[in-house]
Amino acid sequence: MKPYVIINAAMSVDGKLDSIERRGAALSSAQDRRRVLELRAEVDAVLVGGKTLLRESPRLTVKLPELSQQRLARGLPENPAKVGIVTRAELDPRGDFVTAGPARRILFTTSQTPPDQLELLNSLGVEVFVQDGQRVDVAQALEMLAGLGLRRLMLEGGGTLIAEFIRLGLADELRVYLAPKIFGGVTAPTLVDGAGWLASAARPLRLIEARVLDETGGLLIHYEFL
Ligand SMILES: NC(=O)c1ccc[n+]([C@@H]2O[C@H](COP(=O)([O-])OP(=O)(O)OC[C@H]3O[C@@H](n4cnc5c(N)ncnc54)[C@H](OP(=O)(O)O)[C@@H]3O)[C@@H](O)[C@H]2O)c1
């Protein structure tokens, strides 16, 4: 069975996940950062795409001791598993994705990843799944995650991987923090990038919740995919 997938991201009012610099510009408010950590604490695994992983090596942990304690009390590991989806892995072994935890670390990649990188990651305890093909087969990766007992997943971006999940009908919910900022720029990443699809194939959504999240004027918009 396919795991339940919640897409979560922060975007500017003009729909960008980052500025044209693509250096992981801050968008979340303090309240939104707290909301994201609480959501992480509720899921079995947190996923990110290759560009986000290689450029930012995100921590993806629940960070707050009270949240890890709550997980432990529920019989869960301190942090959700961290999952990277990357065509050609060149991870920094000292980066937060690899080192921050304790957390199970899982990587789906292709045979384009050099053997010495695979060896290095294995030696660091990262569970690596190598697929044939030009890019990672995301549906197959989700099946494998379900087989590992990971049933509730949070996809934290970027826009290319989010697009792939939506294109394949693999996403169940979309939670977006809308920051009162405008980044602009045709090359800045948007919430849903990729090649796009025809208007006739637009994915319908049902509103679950929309509310003002903080005094900066940031909004939380929460939909489910129909
Ligand atoms: N505001 C937020 O909430 C948030 C969250 C996360 C990231 N970001 C921002 O998003 C930007 C990065 O996003 P991005 O869209 O460039 O990249 P991304 O979604 O992080 O990563 C996409 C890459 O993953 C690899 N990949 C492997 N298999 C794939 C598949 N089946 N489908 C799609 N991708 C696959 C591809 O690498 P190849 O092209 O090498 O094949 C692809 O380019 C950064 O600026 C980051 O700061 C923002």
Side-chain angles (χ1 to χ4, degrees), residues 1-76:
M1 212 178 88
K2 180 192 92 59
Y4 191 83
V5 177
I6 301 166
I7 296 173
N8 185 83
M11 74 177 188
S12 59
V13 168
D14 53 328
K16 312 294 186 188
L17 294 189
D18 197 355
S19 71
I20 53 171
E21 299 148 282
R22 289 180 174 262
R23 289 202 197 120
L27 277 160
S28 286
S29 62
Q31 287 92 330
D32 186 54
R33 285 194 293 276
R34 167 95 203 184
R35 181 192 65 81
V36 171
L37 296 180
E38 285 172 357
L39 184 55
R40 276 186 198 159
E42 281 174 22
V43 297
D44 300 317
V46 179
L47 278 78
V48 288
K51 298 276 188 291
T52 304
L53 180 63
L54 298 182
R55 290 196 193 140
E56 295 166 29
S57 190
R59 290 181 79 81
L60 305 178
T61 59
V62 302
K63 291 179 188 162
L64 303 174
E66 71 209 68
L67 294 178
S68 43
Q69 287 306 324
Q70 284 168 16
R71 283 182 60 93
L72 290 170
R74 281 157 49 212
L76 299 171

Side-chain angles (χ1 to χ4, degrees), residues 8-12 16-19 21-25 27-28 48-56 85-88 108-110 112 134-139 156-165 167-168 189-191 193-194:
N8 185 83
M11 74 177 188
S12 59
K16 312 294 186 188
L17 294 189
D18 197 355
S19 71
E21 299 148 282
R22 289 180 174 262
R23 289 202 197 120
L27 277 160
S28 286
V48 288
K51 298 276 188 291
T52 304
L53 180 63
L54 298 182
R55 290 196 193 140
E56 295 166 29
I85 293 190
V86 56
T87 305
R88 188 180 193 278
F108 290 95
T109 189
T110 70
Q112 292 163 63
Q134 287 295 102
R135 274 183 162 184
V136 174
D137 180 330
V138 175
E156 292 208 27
T160 305
L161 193 59
I162 290 175
E164 185 69 347
F165 271 69
R167 185 181 75 80
L168 296 170
T190 71
L191 178 65
D193 281 330

Side-chain angles (χ1 to χ4, degrees), residues 74-178:
R74 281 157 49 212
L76 299 171
E78 211 169 311
N79 287 291
K82 310 197 268 185
V83 182
I85 293 190
V86 56
T87 305
R88 188 180 193 278
E90 284 172 286
L91 267 69
D92 176 358
R94 287 154 306 171
D96 283 338
F97 179 82
V98 174
T99 60
R104 188 171 186 177
R105 293 141 306 152
I106 300 169
L107 197 75
F108 290 95
T109 189
T110 70
S111 46
Q112 292 163 63
T113 292
D116 55 346
Q117 166 82 182
L118 296 176
E119 260 171 53
L120 174 66
L121 293 173
N122 279 321
S123 74
L124 294 167
V126 180
E127 296 165 65
V128 186
F129 296 93
V130 183
Q131 299 179 348
D132 295 327
Q134 287 295 102
R135 274 183 162 184
V136 174
D137 180 330
V138 175
Q140 197 185 93
L142 283 195
E143 261 176 46
M144 298 190 74
L145 291 173
L148 296 174
L150 305 171
R151 301 215 165 81
R152 195 171 162 84
L153 312 185
M154 176 180 178
L155 170 58
E156 292 208 27
T160 305
L161 193 59
I162 290 175
E164 185 69 347
F165 271 69
I166 296 175
R167 185 181 75 80
L168 296 170
L170 298 171
D172 297 285
E173 278 182 44
L174 176 67
R175 303 187 195 202
V176 177
Y177 174 72
L178 190 69

